[in-house]
Amino acid sequence: MKKITILSFVFFSIISFSQEDKEKIKGNFFGGFESNSQWYTNDKDRGINHPEDPFRSNNYLNANYNYGKWTAGVQGEGYLPNALLNYNPKYEKANVATYYLNYRSSKINATAGYFYEQFGSGLLLRSWEDRSLGINNALRGGKIKYTPTDNLSFTALYGRQRTGFDIANGDVFGFNSEINLFRMLKIESSDLSLGFSYVGRKETTTIINPNFNELTNGFAGRLNFSKNSFYFSAEYNFKTEDGILYDSKTVYNDFVKPGSALLLNGGYSKKGFGLDVTLRRLENMSFYSEREPEVFSPEKTSIYYNDRLMNFVPSLTKQHHFNLANIYVYQAQARVSLDFDNGIAKAGEIGGQIDIYYDFPKETALGGKYGTKISANFSNWNNLKGDYNLFPPEYKTDFLGAGEKYFSDFNLEINKKFSKKFSSTFAFINQYYNNRLITGAANTVIKANILAAEFDYNLSKGRAAKLAIEHMWADNDRKNWIAMLFEYNINTRFSVFASDMYNYGYDKDANLIDHETDPFDIHFYNFGGAYKKGSTRFAINYGRQRGGLVCAGGVCRFVPPSTGLGMSITTSFN
Amino acid sequence: MNKFLLFILFTANISLAQQDFPKITLKNLNNQNINTSDFNKNDRLYVYSFWATWCAPCIQELESISDVYDDWKSELDLEIIAVATDDSRTEKRVKPMINGKGWEYTFLLDTNQDLKRKLSIANIPYLVVVKNGKIVYIQNGHTPGAEDELLETLKGL
């Protein structure tokens, strides 16, 4: 209690620090604080008992000090008394999480300590932080970036990845270069830039006479071209032979393969119109700083918590904002899986997506007085075509050729503004989700159609109301859903919301996806409010969280079904 | 451990100083390197709007400002810099979406969220107004229809 008193005293004294005092001190202080907590309650209707510690919270305090060319910073994290449910069990209690010292001049940018970095699109290396997913795979070591001219840059780095409050056993080496070729040659009418990366991961293995090197090498070449309204980019990544996980937990010495990723993107866009096409082929591109995961329980390994992940393989599908469109979410298939029990054989994915944006001009029949905007997106992903052998594990893929389908999503969104105060969005979404092949959990394929509408009405002085209605027709799993959301901004600082999701038309004996399934006939209600001012936001909500995937940036985290009171505080001090 | 947190808070306390906007190099839509310190016209208001192609309220905010942007510019010396925090999942969608919407802002790509992290931004949309290199105003979240109020605030900066 005494500690809390002292802490709150210090905290409030920061807030009340006078402007006059600030002027006296040179240098620059910046940072932020984030706290997400949940009071889990029992829910008889859902048969949920709260965990032993019903109150749990994740807290992050980040503080940095800059003086001239030097910046130093530290991040403390506290999971008190425990982390929110289903976060990586390695996030325990409070401790220093990351720290760094950075020197920056016009040509040199050097960091010692923990750092974040991404080469190209991240298919070989990306270290980043996503608190909602519990990902922080910052590298601890050193990084130096040299930029001799505006058109050239070189980065070299060494480090070990953060895992919980510890670091992983594998050494990571990286080199990256970027060249703006046309600008270097003073060709002004178009742009051509090139990139080359190397990423090495060295980890000792306990396997005697391994059929693979302890050092796995990754190479990538990239090219970016644009001229007027047209643009094109290509990227090829190659990973040398490495042992593959057989039962998803241990490396099998007789199953050694290289990996590769090809990414192509092109498009055409001008005012009022945009077209974009992306194609990607992945084969055996999972890349972790330790080959074998840490096993926490039969179902849960460090891979399940996205721990020690070195690269970023996002699912290239539309990230929907409507709730029901986020029930069947695709996850990119980078890993090789030959699952004897479920008869699943896959080595990657092949597919693509197309986006179209069109803005009907104002004062035309379809544009109306305030304009109409449409966007359409279509994505389709399949397994790699090839010959797969479950035992002994072996596969041989075709370079071009699609195997069984994982997922597709066709969606159309229309945005119409009727008056200065009233606007609306209508969406149609058609999804195909092959759960057997994607997660291997249930032998279920789902076809779903979703219709959604959102209406926004703005009153004066920051008062605004939003109503969203959604319906999903699904032919399998839990079948149909209906969802509603009402949001009201009382003024520019206060807002409140209420929402509900309800599932109907189900067959109780159906082959369901979730292993921690909710019972049927449940209203997933939620209500709450938020207050914001400056950089500070405080939000509170009470309700039911459906068990399932929470995704950000194409990476997902499984959250268990829960009921309770949630609170979140975020602020930054600059 | 609590000693450590206490230490950070004390450090924060004594060093809470000026409000410089971070100097950082990001790419623009033409793949050129742009440093935030290049936005340095004397007394001009630089409004950094952090958004993403998947963030509906962000798009709503940029849409409504887009309708009045010309009026704002006639009243104030101001430039809106829309910083896309899209990672490589959705980054490719930025360019066609901007053109499809017909927005006329200055655009930057913060693909690995370096600038967002430096400003400790937890949620978007998030506006940071910078004048003469200093942060003079922050607004987090978007309130539909509050553009007039934002304009009044900007006039007072």
Side-chain angles (χ1 to χ4, degrees):
Chain A
M1 197 57 225
K2 200 175 158 192
K3 279 175 188 161
I4 293 171
T5 318
I6 297 170
L7 276 170
S8 41
F9 169 74
V10 179
F11 191 69
F12 284 108
S13 67
I14 294 175
I15 294 172
S16 59
F17 210 80
S18 75
Q19 189 66 36
E20 193 190 345
D21 291 338
K22 287 180 197 172
E23 298 297 331
K24 287 181 200 159
I25 304 157
K26 284 185 181 174
N28 197 27
F29 173 80
F30 58 98
F33 175 70
E34 176 169 353
S35 171
N36 300 310
S37 50
Q38 184 84 24
W39 191 295
Y40 296 96
T41 56
N42 293 328
D43 191 329
K44 271 188 204 153
D45 293 344
R46 300 172 75 192
I48 297 175
N49 291 320
H50 66 70
E52 212 175 308
D53 273 326
F55 178 79
R56 291 166 170 242
S57 72
N58 293 5
N59 306 280
Y60 311 82
L61 180 64
N62 181 281
N64 307 270
Y65 189 74
N66 163 262
Y67 191 87
K69 290 177 174 169
W70 297 87
T71 310
V74 59
Q75 177 160 306
E77 296 176 10
Y79 301 90
L80 304 167
N82 271 307
L84 297 176
L85 288 182
N86 243 32
Y87 268 79
N88 191 338
K90 297 195 82 175
Y91 291 125
E92 254 191 313
K93 306 299 170 205
N95 213 330
V96 179
T98 62
Y99 49 83
Y100 71 89
L101 176 67
N102 173 266
Y103 170 84
R104 190 194 159 94
S105 69
S106 62
K107 291 185 176 168
I108 299 280
N109 187 346
T111 308
Y114 288 87
F115 57 86
Y116 301 95
E117 180 62 67
Q118 177 178 323
F119 289 170
S121 65
L123 285 165
L124 280 179
L125 181 82
R126 185 191 187 200
S127 60
W128 82 106
E129 180 184 33
D130 191 313
R131 292 169 181 172
S132 63
L133 300 174
I135 292 181
N136 186 326
N137 60 354
L139 285 157
R140 190 180 85 184
K143 172 176 91 165
I144 184 158
K145 186 173 181 184
Y146 175 56
T147 316
T149 74
D150 269 357
N151 304 319
L152 267 181
S153 78
F154 304 99
T155 307
L157 61 84
Y158 163 77
R160 285 188 167 201
Q161 270 189 316
R162 177 182 171 199
T163 160
F165 289 111
D166 205 353
I167 52 164
N169 284 322
D171 293 302
V172 178
F173 309 91
F175 173 80
N176 188 46
S177 60
E178 293 201 8
I179 306 154
N180 252 324
L181 199 66
F182 277 14
R183 226 163 278 132
M184 236 162 76
L185 301 170
K186 304 228 158 54
I187 300 172
E188 308 262 310
S189 60
S190 52
D191 171 71
L192 178 69
S193 38
L194 305 171
F196 173 78
S197 314
Y198 166 80
V199 177
R201 186 275 327 262
K202 188 167 190 285
E203 192 214 5
T204 46
T205 173
T206 50
I207 293 175
I208 303 155
N209 298 325
N211 291 327
F212 51 88
N213 285 325
E214 289 192 333
L215 174 67
T216 308
N217 297 308
F219 302 93
R222 298 181 296 278
L223 141 100
N224 247 302
F225 175 78
S226 68
K227 189 175 169 67
N228 304 327
S229 303
F230 173 79
Y231 58 90
F232 173 76
S233 70
E235 175 175 338
Y236 185 71
N237 300 261
F238 180 76
K239 186 164 71 88
T240 56
E241 284 195 335
D242 194 17
I244 295 176
L245 293 180
Y246 181 56
D247 53 4
S248 77
K249 294 186 183 78
T250 42
V251 166
Y252 187 54
N253 197 28
D254 289 325
F255 192 23
V256 173
K257 293 276 182 189
S260 66
L262 175 69
L263 177 66
L264 300 173
N265 172 261
Y268 177 84
S269 80
K270 57 174 193 176
K271 195 172 175 182
F273 177 74
L275 170 73
D276 186 79
V277 180
T278 305
L279 303 167
R280 187 171 73 183
R281 182 190 189 275
L282 296 173
E283 178 172 333
N284 184 24
M285 272 309 281
S286 64
F287 204 9
Y288 292 86
S289 58
E290 290 176 16
R291 283 183 189 87
E292 294 186 342
E294 186 173 343
V295 178
F296 301 106
S297 69
E299 290 268 293
K300 295 172 184 177
T301 66
S302 53
I303 291 175
Y304 176 91
Y305 296 106
N306 299 304
D307 194 4
R308 283 160 258 193
L309 180 65
M310 276 173 59
N311 60 346
F312 180 54
V313 186
S315 43
L316 298 178
T317 58
K318 182 165 177 175
Q319 193 159 331
H320 292 288
H321 76 275
F322 286 107
N323 279 328
L324 298 183
N326 284 310
I327 291 181
Y328 300 115
V329 197
Y330 181 58
Q331 290 171 284
Q333 300 292 306
R335 249 166 64 204
V336 172
S337 174
L338 298 179
D339 180 348
F340 201 75
D341 299 332
N342 296 304
I344 293 162
K346 56 184 179 183
E349 66 171 32
I350 187 164
Q353 68 172 333
I354 299 170
D355 277 287
I356 296 166
Y357 299 91
Y358 185 69
D359 186 359
F360 289 100
K362 286 174 190 171
E363 308 296 346
T364 59
L366 285 168
K369 195 178 172 195
Y370 295 93
T372 304
K373 296 175 185 200
I374 60 166
S375 60
N377 165 280
F378 176 66
S379 61
N380 189 92
W381 296 96
N382 288 62
N383 187 9
L384 298 177
K385 192 182 174 197
D387 298 321
Y388 297 88
N389 193 31
L390 288 173
F391 198 83
E394 181 56 41
Y395 65 83
K396 193 177 182 312
T397 59
D398 296 348
F399 183 72
L400 288 176
E404 198 183 341
K405 182 165 153 183
Y406 289 119
F407 180 84
S408 69
D409 183 332
F410 171 78
N411 55 78
L412 182 73
E413 209 169 293
I414 302 165
N415 207 286
K416 174 88 187 147
K417 194 169 172 181
F418 292 101
S419 73
K420 273 194 156 177
K421 294 196 159 174
F422 183 54
S423 63
S424 64
T425 304
F426 302 94
F428 167 71
I429 301 154
N430 170 276
Q431 292 173 326
Y432 173 96
Y433 183 85
N434 185 341
N435 186 65
R436 184 188 70 87
L437 202 59
I438 294 172
T439 71
N443 194 10
T444 305
V445 170
I446 298 118
K447 289 174 197 150
N449 285 303
I450 300 161
L451 271 182
E454 191 179 291
F455 305 96
D456 287 280
Y457 193 74
N458 299 342
L459 297 105
S460 58
K461 292 181 180 166
R463 285 180 301 144
K466 177 201 287 294
L467 175 70
I469 304 164
E470 305 169 45
H471 190 273
M472 174 162 86
W473 293 264
D475 70 343
N476 211 335
D477 193 33
R478 298 174 70 97
K479 297 273 176 80
N480 303 338
W481 287 88
I482 185 159
M484 270 176 79
L485 165 75
F486 179 71
E487 211 178 279
Y488 185 68
N489 286 278
I490 299 161
N491 54 42
T492 54
R493 290 191 177 155
F494 274 111
S495 66
V496 290
F497 81 94
S499 69
D500 190 27
M501 265 172 79
Y502 182 71
N503 180 206
Y504 74 96
Y506 42 79
D507 169 5
K508 287 186 178 172
D509 303 319
N511 199 357
L512 299 173
I513 284 184
D514 292 335
H515 24 260
E516 292 179 72
T517 306
D518 260 301
F520 293 99
D521 260 326
I522 291 291
H523 281 274
F524 293 90
Y525 56 78
N526 242 301
F527 52 90
Y531 173 79
K532 64 191 172 72
K533 190 187 173 198
S535 69
T536 306
R537 182 171 188 274
F538 175 74
I540 186 161
N541 78 295
Y542 178 80
R544 287 170 165 167
Q545 164 74 50
R546 189 179 64 87
L549 292 169
V550 167
C551 303
V555 181
C556 302
R557 182 175 84 85
F558 186 84
V559 294
S562 70
T563 301
L565 182 74
M567 275 162 294
S568 110
I569 304 165
T570 54
T571 188
S572 69
F573 17 99
N574 294 100
Chain B
M1 187 47 240
N2 281 328
K3 277 182 192 159
F4 161 73
L5 283 177
L6 215 61
F7 166 74
I8 298 187
L9 285 170
F10 270 122
T11 322
N13 204 357
I14 52 162
S15 56
L16 193 65
Q18 302 153 315
Q19 304 155 319
D20 283 348
F21 190 75
K23 293 184 179 77
I24 186 170
T25 305
L26 298 176
K27 292 234 188 277
N28 69 5
L29 294 177
N30 297 322
N31 209 31
Q32 280 167 300
N33 290 323
I34 305 287
N35 196 292
T36 50
S37 59
D38 297 343
F39 300 108
N40 56 7
K41 192 165 173 273
N42 214 15
D43 286 341
R44 174 173 285 183
L45 292 177
Y46 291 101
V47 182
Y48 289 86
S49 166
F50 290 83
W51 71 289
T53 56
W54 45 263
C55 165
C58 303
I59 290 165
Q60 206 176 38
E61 178 168 74
L62 289 170
E63 289 271 32
S64 14
I65 296 177
S66 176
D67 291 342
V68 291
Y69 193 30
D70 286 337
D71 300 340
W72 283 20
K73 280 199 285 193
S74 67
E75 287 188 56
L76 281 168
D77 184 14
L78 138 153
E79 180 171 347
I80 292 174
I81 302 159
V83 183
T85 59
D86 288 86
D87 61 30
S88 57
R89 175 178 189 197
T90 47
E91 188 199 346
K92 301 291 185 197
R93 233 179 235 135
V94 172
K95 205 170 176 170
M97 182 186 269
I98 288 165
N99 280 316
K101 300 274 186 199
W103 294 339
E104 297 194 345
Y105 307 124
T106 304
F107 292 97
L108 292 178
L109 302 172
D110 190 17
T111 310
N112 204 20
Q113 283 121 43
D114 296 316
L115 182 56
K116 182 174 171 244
R117 197 180 304 115
K118 275 199 152 79
L119 290 161
S120 291
I121 298 173
N123 305 301
I124 51 171
Y126 196 95
L127 289 185
V128 181
V129 186
V130 177
K131 188 178 180 182
N132 299 324
K134 306 270 181 212
I135 297 171
V136 288
Y137 182 70
I138 291 177
Q139 174 187 297
N140 86 83
H142 166 62
T143 310
E147 286 70 37
D148 295 344
E149 205 174 313
L150 178 62
L151 178 65
E152 289 311 309
T153 309
L154 292 173
K155 280 181 182 167
L157 297 171

